[in-house]
Amino acid sequence: MSEQDPSAPSPEGRVSTGTETLDVMLHGGFVAKRPYLVVGPAGTGKTTLALQFLCDGIRRGERCLIVTLEEPPNEMRMNHRSLLPDLDEVYVFDAIPDVMRYERAPFKDIAAVRQSVPFSQVPMQIRKTPELSSVEVTFTALEQTLKMEMARRNFQRIVIDSLTALQYFCMKGFDETLGAQTFLRFLSDLRVTTFLTVEAPLEDSETPERLLARGEIRLFRWEHDARTVRAIGVEKFRGSEHDARLHPYRISPRGLDINLALTISRDTQELWPSTIDTARGPSEPPEPPEVFATSLASLEQDSRDLIAVGVDVGAIRSTVLEALAASERSTAEEVARIVARARGRVLEIVARIGDSAPPDGSVKESPAMRRLRARLAAARMGIPPSGPPDLATLRPMLEKVLDALEPAVTITHPPPAPTAVAIAPEEGGPSSPPVHVVAPAARPAPAPPMAPPPVAPATVAPLPEATPPPPPPPPPMKPPVEVGPPEPAPTATVRPALTSLKGPPAVGTAPTARPGAEPTKVAPVREVTPPKPLATKGAPPAPPSRSATKVAAPPARVPPSPTSPAERSSPPPLPSAGMAGPPRPSPPSSAAPVEPTRPAHPEGAGAPPVKPGVLPIAPLPEAVPASPPEPTPTAEAASPKRRRKTVVAGSTTPKKRASRASKSSSDAAADVPSVAPTEPAPSPAAAVAAPDSSVSASGESGPTATAGDQSAAKPKRRAPRRKAPPVTAAEPGPPPPEEERVAADGAAPPAPTEAPSTANENPPDGA
Amino acid sequence: MEEIARVSIGIPGLDRMLGGGLLAGRPYLVTGGVGSGKTLLGLSFLLEGLRRNEEVLLVAVDEPPSEIVENVREFGWDLSTIRTLDANPGTKAIRRLADVQEIKALGEVRSMRELTAEARRTGESEDISVQSIHLKLRQQMSGHPFSRVLVDSITSIRRFAMKASPDPQAERTEIQSLLRFLSEQEVTTLITATPGNPGLLTAEEILTRGEILLTRKWVGDRSVRQLKIVRVRGSAHDPERRPFAITNQGIIVG
């Protein structure tokens, strides 16, 4: 820091800015005894930053002075009373010109009339212009004053707030540029570390003082994505390395809260994760491609973790969807940019969670949260760049991420879940299954999905086979695909869902052994197939989300479809449901459970019910079995993925849904066939789901539609990849929320039915 | 330290965004394009003062007070008890324009315009200069302890009252002096302004303690009004853009 002896030059000495994070950006702080500028529009915290600088000096036993030309001292003290103990020791010089006298009155020299006083002696009331004379402040007079003040108190830190006001109001007759130049030179000669605030118009402009200062900190304020974004950057810092990137910040009572883990693009105001340690030295903003590669590698994992932690990932999902859309028509760089934004959102969320007190021990302790924290730490430390993105590999990766996010969708429902859950189990367990069934049926003939979930394993196997044959119903199913479960699931809820979805899940609820089971289940579905018709009728099997997919078959029972919605809703409950035991075997698994549950119920509902139940369960189990770790699941994958997909579909945002729904339906149809063979059950489920989604859409609007969209979008991709038409499944997942709601209303059963029917009938509409 | 009193604007949603209202005794800026609702916002601020039995003052520069009264009649607002400083230079100007048109028919437009220009220059130096507004305010304030003042608008003051001072330094100093005067009166002041060149900073932007921005954009054939608190010194506030509507109840921030 600056030495006690102001005359002793110490080029290497650094002066803390009083803001720890800013010191990091400056690699230690200001170089002592030089003038620095903080430039920014009004309201970005320049004065706060300056006062922090002075209060830091007070804490180090230095003498500090602020020359105020804008804000009256009494107001400044009141506005920054959170700095109070230290602030009262800062000297303030009121250099605000008096009210102008139009009549002739003697002008007095400001140096003779005013002098600095500590903030503690500032009166509460604003200073009044004297009756008989007034002070006109000129910058030459101010220079004289500063010299006197320095001689009197030997200040070590001085703030001029603001240089702009000095130029605007105190340079009559002087050239502003020349005046500013002279003044900065004068400050350098004082050999004090000086901090000057400069009001910047919103549009950038080069001004002479900016060229003259030894360093410039720039504060930005933009409106981006309809939100106000603030960023701070070191534009120039002579004689030292520094972090040249922009970082977002918030203004808190403690001062500027700078987030070094994120950077903001100067051009687009998009958030990026910091990939270089700010303390390591000057660095350029990361290239999009590099970020992209590392991003996709971790985004999938992060998505699952976020869901597991119970965070609303809607924004992330929509960003990833945007990236997927861009991958069809844009460049890899563009996609990388969007992915980077998604990464930025993830880190932003993690940083926010980290800031807030740990909600509950469990959350904090959870492996997911630990991984996320590690991710944030890694981002802060710098992530090694990886190779440039390749569009060919990009889409599959993006889809994986989406799969990971699907659960989230389900989760969304969670909020309702509580109620819904209860309901679901009670009512409709059975009914919901039906829904599923329907969907399945519609699709590949897999209708079989109906196969009772309980039976699951065994059944499944058969079903799959069977599935191939049953392709018929698909069309109807498509509509269902829309599934648009509302995104809005509460975080908490989400978690469970996620876990279940992940399948691996240790959490696992329950489940019966889903792993193998799923296939089996599928088989049942086929059997169920008959239900398909029903489904078509009732259609609405929208059912259940993911589990639905697997279970799908069960749903066959159209009637249930109504219920199914309810069940879906219930999914959220799943957690609790976990239990669902028999009918809802699936419930056991937290997320998965839900779906399963539904299926089960459906099954229960009709003769087929049993099968459905089985099926659902089976799927869930698999998921469950899988270790909690999301990643692992892949292998089991097929089932999990499907689920996810389904979920995704559901999850998709409302907006997209509509469009996608239509697409999805088509996709679904396409997918279904192919899928059917492989994984009959899933497809059915998807189909079922679709109905629900459509239903939900009709009922709810946004969410469903979205789901549909997503599903559609995803399905396409997925379909190609995977035979199994997770798509369908996905749809189901989302719907649940709606269903749940319905259930809550009591109307659930009926409504669902209607909805389903509608869905079937109007699949296109939904789309 | 004791908290500063908050002054309600009379628009619940906006008061909430401000964290309870404006800080008493300070000048604030309301910026927005033509028809964005600046004057209405300012009038609700004054009417809220009337409801609380405070002394309020309207400094009307943009529109003649009589027109303002007519414009808010549909809201059922009674402005009759608001003390008004009529600093509107337009009254005469409009008449002159009418004259110009008549004269135009006679083929004497040109000369009349020159005359008009001449007349305005001399007339304005008497009628509206920052100095005259300042002195009138001083007179008004010495007799009445106003607690709320609306200056509508400073853009007009600059345009109509400062033609004689092309020197930007002098202009800024005059504005600074006027705002300083209002600050020293410890009166809560709303000053309306039309946004100018975004690359140019105005004196009032620097000197006011806060700024509320009103915008209006068209979405299809519907106009969407939005309000944003750009900055407020010494008070936490909602920094996001919020929609608002002008209804027959006045301004409603949703």
Side-chain angles (χ1 to χ4, degrees):
Chain A
M1 307 297 123
S2 58
E3 319 312 305
Q4 291 300 313
D5 174 8
S7 63
S10 56
E12 292 311 310
R14 290 301 186 98
V15 178
S16 168
T17 62
T19 303
E20 203 177 317
T21 39
L22 181 55
D23 286 345
V24 172
M25 293 172 70
L26 292 167
H27 290 213
F30 295 136
V31 175
K33 305 186 196 327
R34 294 181 179 178
Y36 293 95
L37 299 183
V38 55
V39 183
T44 47
K46 295 185 298 297
T47 305
T48 303
L49 203 59
L51 287 175
Q52 289 280 357
F53 167 67
L54 296 184
C55 287
D56 179 75
I58 294 296
R59 284 191 290 273
R60 294 167 193 271
E62 300 176 18
R63 283 176 298 282
C64 305
L65 171 70
I66 181 168
V67 178
T68 176
L69 290 122
E70 292 182 8
E71 202 175 358
N74 61 313
E75 291 183 18
M76 185 177 280
R77 178 167 183 265
M78 181 64 83
N79 293 345
H80 297 91
R81 53 189 179 280
S82 57
L83 303 177
L84 258 192
D86 299 322
L87 183 62
D88 265 350
E89 292 180 48
V90 173
Y91 278 79
V92 56
F93 183 86
D94 183 350
I96 302 174
D98 280 339
V99 175
M100 198 193 306
R101 297 265 163 195
Y102 289 97
E103 67 273 23
R104 296 235 168 243
F107 278 116
K108 292 196 174 172
D109 181 4
I110 189 172
V113 176
R114 303 186 197 162
Q115 61 172 282
S116 65
V117 296
F119 266 107
S120 57
Q121 292 174 28
V122 170
M124 291 294 291
Q125 301 263 298
I126 193 169
R127 172 181 55 76
K128 301 291 171 61
T129 298
E131 279 302 314
L132 298 177
S133 66
S134 63
V135 171
E136 197 180 44
V137 181
T138 64
F139 93 94
T140 43
L142 198 56
E143 285 183 3
Q144 286 304 314
T145 308
L146 280 173
K147 276 184 194 165
M148 288 173 57
E149 291 287 338
M150 279 300 291
R152 190 179 297 151
R153 299 209 168 82
N154 196 19
F155 291 106
Q156 286 144 304
R157 298 185 185 206
I158 294 180
V159 166
I160 308 294
D161 183 34
S162 67
L163 180 60
T164 311
L166 180 68
Q167 288 175 286
Y168 266 43
F169 311 124
C170 309
M171 287 197 181
K172 241 182 224 171
F174 278 89
D175 177 86
E176 287 175 30
T177 305
L178 207 59
Q181 190 176 342
T182 312
F183 191 67
L184 277 176
R185 177 57 194 259
F186 164 79
L187 290 175
S188 301
D189 292 345
L190 280 181
R191 302 212 51 74
V192 182
T193 314
T194 321
F195 199 50
L196 302 96
T197 64
V198 176
E199 300 278 347
L202 288 176
E203 288 180 7
D204 206 11
S205 62
E206 284 299 325
T207 56
E209 65 271 12
R210 295 183 59 186
L211 301 176
L212 290 167
R214 305 302 193 281
E216 175 186 328
I217 292 161
R218 179 96 189 182
L219 300 173
F220 298 85
R221 182 181 59 214
W222 300 291
E223 260 193 63
H224 188 63
D225 282 353
R227 293 195 55 202
T228 298
V229 178
R230 291 186 161 112
I232 184 170
V234 179
E235 298 292 279
K236 163 178 163 182
F237 192 32
R238 294 232 176 112
S240 169
E241 294 194 329
H242 60 278
D243 176 4
R245 298 167 298 170
L246 302 188
H247 296 288
Y249 72 91
R250 288 181 302 184
I251 300 179
S252 74
R254 291 165 295 158
L256 264 58
D257 203 352
I258 304 171
N259 186 346
L260 294 178
L262 297 178
T263 64
I264 288 187
S265 158
R266 283 168 199 265
D267 301 327
T268 64
Q269 286 86 60
E270 288 172 334
L271 280 175
W272 295 70
S274 289
T275 56
I276 300 172
D277 183 359
T278 45
R280 213 180 284 158
S283 56
E284 292 303 315
E287 289 301 311
E290 298 174 348
V291 175
F292 169 81
T294 52
S295 297
L296 276 188
S298 56
L299 196 52
E300 184 182 350
Q301 174 72 55
D302 288 349
S303 298
R304 291 203 193 86
D305 287 344
L306 281 175
I307 291 170
V309 172
V311 170
D312 177 10
V313 296
I316 300 169
R317 189 191 355 269
S318 60
T319 308
V320 173
L321 282 169
E322 197 183 317
L324 261 178
S327 71
E328 291 176 10
R329 49 171 167 67
S330 195
T331 63
E333 283 68 28
E334 172 67 17
V335 176
R337 193 125 34 90
I338 300 172
V339 169
R341 203 167 66 210
R343 282 283 296 148
R345 292 216 159 109
V346 170
L347 291 174
E348 195 179 23
I349 290 172
V350 177
R352 198 171 57 222
I353 298 175
D355 290 349
S356 62
D360 50 289
S362 66
V363 175
K364 251 195 168 179
E365 301 300 331
S366 77
M369 192 61 219
R370 258 183 277 131
R371 271 195 298 274
L372 287 173
R373 284 184 193 284
R375 179 79 67 207
L376 183 60
R380 285 184 164 137
M381 293 305 294
I383 300 171
S386 42
D390 175 357
L391 264 182
T393 59
L394 190 154
R395 290 183 59 91
M397 294 181 75
L398 280 173
E399 290 181 7
K400 271 197 197 170
V401 174
L402 271 182
D403 283 353
L405 282 168
E406 292 183 0
V409 178
T410 319
I411 296 171
T412 317
H413 304 300
T419 26
V421 179
I423 300 171
E426 300 171 2
E427 320 176 79
S431 42
S432 49
V435 180
H436 297 293
V437 177
V438 178
R443 296 210 169 176
M450 308 302 293
V455 185
T459 351
V460 178
L463 294 174
E465 302 172 359
T467 315
M477 307 308 271
K478 297 176 183 179
V481 177
E482 294 174 324
V483 176
E487 296 177 341
T491 19
T493 341
V494 179
R495 291 183 191 170
L498 296 175
T499 41
S500 53
L501 295 175
K502 294 176 180 179
V507 181
T509 33
T512 27
R514 290 197 177 164
E518 291 193 12
T520 342
K521 298 173 182 179
V522 178
V525 177
R526 296 176 185 173
E527 299 175 2
V528 180
T529 317
K532 293 181 179 180
L534 296 176
T536 322
K537 304 171 181 179
S545 25
R546 319 134 195 184
S547 23
T549 349
K550 300 174 182 180
V551 180
R557 318 160 166 217
V558 178
S561 57
T563 2
S564 60
E567 292 176 347
R568 288 185 179 180
S569 14
S570 41
L574 290 181
S576 55
M579 27 323 8
R584 312 168 177 176
S586 42
S589 52
S590 54
V594 179
E595 298 173 353
T597 328
R598 300 173 185 174
H601 296 301
E603 296 174 354
V610 181
K611 296 177 181 180
V614 177
L615 294 172
I617 299 174
L620 297 170
E622 294 180 4
V624 179
S627 54
E630 304 84 346
T632 16
T634 22
E636 315 161 43
S639 58
K641 289 180 179 180
R642 295 174 185 176
R643 297 172 186 173
R644 294 174 187 173
K645 290 179 178 181
T646 30
V647 175
V648 177
S651 56
T652 344
T653 51
K655 304 172 181 179
K656 298 175 179 179
R657 282 185 182 180
S659 59
R660 293 181 180 177
S662 57
K663 295 178 181 179
S664 63
S665 61
S666 60
D667 295 350
D671 297 354
V672 175
S674 62
V675 177
T678 356
E679 307 173 350
S683 50
V688 178
D692 288 356
S693 61
S694 62
V695 175
S696 60
S698 58
E700 298 187 357
S701 68
T704 348
T706 319
D709 295 350
Q710 291 185 348
S711 62
K714 296 176 181 179
K716 296 177 180 180
R717 301 164 190 170
R718 295 174 183 176
R721 300 175 183 176
R722 304 172 185 178
K723 301 171 182 181
V727 179
T728 22
E731 298 168 352
E738 296 177 341
E739 295 175 346
E740 294 179 3
R741 298 176 185 176
V742 179
D745 299 345
T753 348
E754 297 177 5
S757 61
T758 9
N760 296 334
E761 299 175 6
N762 314 321
D765 297 1
Chain B
M1 284 180 94
E2 61 191 81
E3 295 293 319
I4 303 179
R6 296 278 182 165
V7 177
S8 166
I9 291 186
I11 301 170
L14 181 53
D15 286 337
R16 266 198 306 280
M17 290 173 71
L18 287 164
L22 302 172
L23 296 176
R26 301 181 180 184
Y28 292 92
L29 196 60
V30 179
T31 54
V34 175
S36 60
K38 299 184 298 293
T39 304
L40 277 182
L41 193 149
L43 290 174
S44 13
F45 165 72
L46 293 187
L47 285 168
E48 177 68 17
L50 283 185
R51 272 193 289 277
R52 294 165 187 256
N53 292 318
E54 296 174 14
E55 294 273 353
V56 304
L57 174 68
L58 165 65
V59 181
V61 187
D62 265 9
E63 299 176 89
S66 58
E67 289 185 20
I68 294 181
V69 169
E70 280 180 32
N71 294 343
V72 300
R73 188 164 292 155
E74 60 176 295
F75 300 131
W77 290 357
D78 179 11
L79 304 183
S80 58
T81 55
I82 293 183
R83 294 183 66 93
T84 305
L85 174 58
D86 183 0
N88 178 258
T91 313
K92 280 184 184 171
I94 289 170
R95 285 196 196 122
R96 285 191 200 117
L97 281 176
D99 290 345
V100 170
Q101 285 185 335
E102 292 174 12
I103 292 158
K104 185 177 180 180
L106 302 174
E108 297 178 17
V109 176
R110 182 168 183 173
S111 62
M112 271 312 291
R113 275 193 180 151
E114 288 168 359
L115 276 176
T116 302
E118 180 63 25
R120 292 187 76 174
R121 207 174 302 135
T122 52
E124 281 172 11
S125 65
E126 288 177 1
D127 290 356
I128 47 160
S129 65
V130 176
Q131 178 179 355
S132 63
I133 291 174
H134 190 145
L135 290 176
K136 280 184 180 175
L137 273 176
R138 190 184 287 264
Q139 286 173 8
Q140 290 279 342
M141 299 227 170
S142 64
H144 293 268
F146 291 108
S147 60
R148 298 173 186 237
V149 171
L150 169 64
V151 178
D152 185 29
S153 67
I154 198 156
T155 310
S156 293
I157 290 181
R158 180 175 282 115
R159 186 174 302 142
F160 298 129
M162 292 187 161
K163 275 183 181 168
S165 58
D167 174 14
Q169 285 279 3
E171 172 196 310
R172 290 170 189 158
T173 309
E174 283 194 310
I175 298 279
Q176 188 272 333
S177 175
L178 182 62
L179 289 175
R180 175 72 196 180
F181 170 74
L182 290 168
S183 293
E184 289 187 16
Q185 299 302 309
E186 295 183 68
V187 81
T188 313
T189 310
L190 275 192
I191 299 163
T192 64
T194 308
N197 180 348
L200 278 182
L201 202 63
T202 59
E204 60 269 20
E205 284 179 76
I206 295 178
L207 294 171
T208 50
R209 316 297 201 273
E211 180 176 342
I212 297 168
L213 174 66
L214 305 180
T215 54
R216 185 181 187 184
K217 68 177 181 182
W218 288 88
V219 177
D221 61 347
R222 290 178 45 223
S223 87
V224 178
R225 295 176 188 273
Q226 290 181 313
L227 173 155
K228 176 182 178 173
I229 297 173
V230 179
R231 62 190 163 89
V232 179
R233 283 200 156 141
S235 168
H237 57 275
D238 176 355
E240 305 301 338
R241 237 173 238 276
R242 304 288 176 199
F244 75 94
I246 296 178
T247 70
N248 56 11
Q249 307 291 312
I251 291 180
I252 295 180
V253 177

